[in-house]
Structures are given as structure tokens and as C-alpha cells.
Amino acid sequence: MSNLQTEHALLIWREGNLIKDQWVLSDTGHEIVIGRSTDCDVSIPVRWISRRHAILTREKGQFLLADAGSKNGVFINSQRVIKPTPLTDGDLIQLAPGLDLIYVDSEATAPLPGGMRGLGLQLDETERQIYINGQLVNPPLSNQQYQLVAQLVEQPGKVYSRAEIIEAVWPGESAEGITDDAIDALVRRLRQRLAEYEPEHNFIVTVRGYGFRLDNDLS
């Protein structure tokens, strides 16, 4: 199970405001095993989790979650899973006290429709410049806008939490001092700048309730 992001559903392991790991739920036709064992598709090295803890299967376009005979049980939104249960976007999966996985439906992670083939967004770290389809973004982005792009470009498709965005864009600042409105305003202005060069594509994708990711696929 690769943790490289594509247009599929996700499992996000979140601890407070920190995203500790995330996995793509590819529709391979086979069951997806969640557990402590390194042989599991979704391997979580926590002692309170059974070696094979839970199983995901996909039926009729929807993922179902089932208990694989775990010691501590499987819960969805605090309700124990007794039989295979369908997941919906935003469901909180609890495998152990304090260990939560968030299910993000594929519709929440898919980029906006449209777009066209091209070089996409490219970053020149030496010159601190941004190019869209080979065209220099001019005038240059603000320092905060550039830092946000530089963070997202590190792992295109990865969902970066708001806490991670704050650390990258406002280093040294307390997270409590940076409001959601400030982050959203920054993202909005950045989208406007990028749209000047590629109006039919949304490079900065909001994953509802969790953070942001870069979609650099114009195909």
C-alpha cells in the first residue's frame, strides 16, 4: 500500500493537529488490512493495536470496514463495529484509546474537474521563483506565498495540516496566534495569483477539515 497520493480515498492518522501518516486506499479488488504487523497494507506500529486489527473491502464503489478479530475492537464515530460497516467522508475510526484514523472519501481529495496538459507548477529554489507551464510568475509571489508553495511542493499530493502550514509559513510563531482566517486568506490570494497563469486548474486543493495539498497533475 503506497502512501503516495492519487485521486483515491485516504486514511489519515492524526494526533492533535499533527498528521502522523496517511495512506491511499487504492481499489485493487483485494482486502486492505490494517494492523501492527509490517505485513499489513496499513501498518501502524502501536502496541495497543492487534497484528491484524481491521479489514477494508470495497463493494459497489464504497469502502466497508470490519473487525479482523482484534483484541480492543474497532469503532466508527465511537460506535463499535460488529459487522462490515460502510464508511462515509469524515468518519473517525478508533482502533485504540487516543489513536484515531480519519476516512477521507475520494470525492474530497479529487482535484477540481478541468485542467489541461502542461508542465504544471515548477519551483526554482535557487532563484526563489515559481513557473506555471514554463512561464515565470511575475511579479514574484510574496514571501509567505512562496513558503506555502515550497512546503506543498516537497511532497506533491501529501495533505499538509494547518499546523504544518503555520510552521512553514510563519516559523517561530505560535500556532495559537495564527487564525484559520489568516491561513485561508493566504491560500485564497495564492490561488488567485496562480490562476492568472492557469485559470482552469486548481493547484492548491483543500481537503476538508484536515489541510491542503498540491495537485500538479494537469492531464
Side-chain angles (χ1 to χ4, degrees):
M1 176 70 58
S2 171
N3 62 356
L4 296 176
Q5 300 303 313
T6 57
E7 294 176 39
H8 297 284
L10 302 174
L11 274 185
I12 298 177
W13 178 9
R14 189 176 70 182
E15 191 171 277
N17 289 324
L18 177 65
I19 295 177
K20 300 192 67 173
D21 209 341
Q22 54 194 316
W23 299 268
V24 170
L25 302 180
S26 301
D27 187 7
T28 62
H30 303 290
E31 65 181 22
I32 298 171
V33 181
I34 305 171
R36 190 178 74 249
S37 172
T38 56
D39 293 331
C40 291
D41 303 290
V42 177
S43 178
I44 304 174
V46 174
R47 61 178 296 192
W48 307 113
I49 295 179
S50 300
R51 291 183 60 81
R52 285 173 55 93
H53 198 105
I55 294 174
L56 280 167
T57 55
R58 190 167 176 85
E59 296 182 9
K60 298 180 180 179
Q62 189 171 32
F63 278 103
L64 305 179
L65 180 67
D67 194 328
S70 67
K71 181 178 180 181
N72 292 321
V74 177
F75 297 80
I76 300 175
N77 303 324
S78 301
Q79 299 296 314
R80 185 153 191 166
V81 172
I82 305 300
K83 60 181 181 179
T85 302
L87 291 172
T88 59
D89 183 49
D91 277 346
L92 187 66
I93 301 169
Q94 298 148 315
L95 305 180
L99 196 155
D100 299 329
L101 301 177
I102 301 166
Y103 173 75
V104 183
D105 191 74
S106 57
E107 292 185 0
T109 64
L112 296 180
M116 55 190 294
R117 295 185 183 276
L119 299 174
L121 184 150
Q122 297 173 305
L123 183 147
D124 185 335
E125 296 183 10
T126 303
E127 300 294 333
R128 290 178 64 85
Q129 299 282 9
I130 303 295
Y131 293 82
I132 303 293
N133 294 330
Q135 185 176 0
L136 175 66
V137 175
N138 189 42
L141 300 179
S142 69
N143 181 63
Q144 290 180 344
Q145 292 170 346
Y146 177 85
Q147 293 299 337
L148 174 54
V149 171
Q151 176 71 84
L152 298 179
V153 165
E154 283 191 6
Q155 295 187 54
K158 172 185 174 180
V159 180
Y160 285 90
S161 69
R162 289 176 176 262
E164 290 173 307
I165 296 298
I166 290 173
E167 184 177 352
V169 176
W170 292 277
E173 296 287 337
S174 170
E176 289 75 16
I178 307 298
T179 66
D180 285 348
D181 286 343
I183 299 173
D184 292 338
L186 173 63
V187 171
R188 183 171 60 254
R189 291 193 298 269
L190 176 58
R191 283 177 175 149
Q192 291 171 348
R193 289 299 315 278
L194 300 180
E196 295 173 9
Y197 298 85
E198 181 50 271
E200 298 184 14
H201 186 75
N202 180 28
F203 288 98
I204 313 300
V205 177
T206 299
V207 179
R208 296 189 297 269
Y210 317 121
F212 304 93
R213 69 180 182 88
L214 176 69
D215 172 36
N216 207 18
D217 182 7
L218 273 66
S219 61

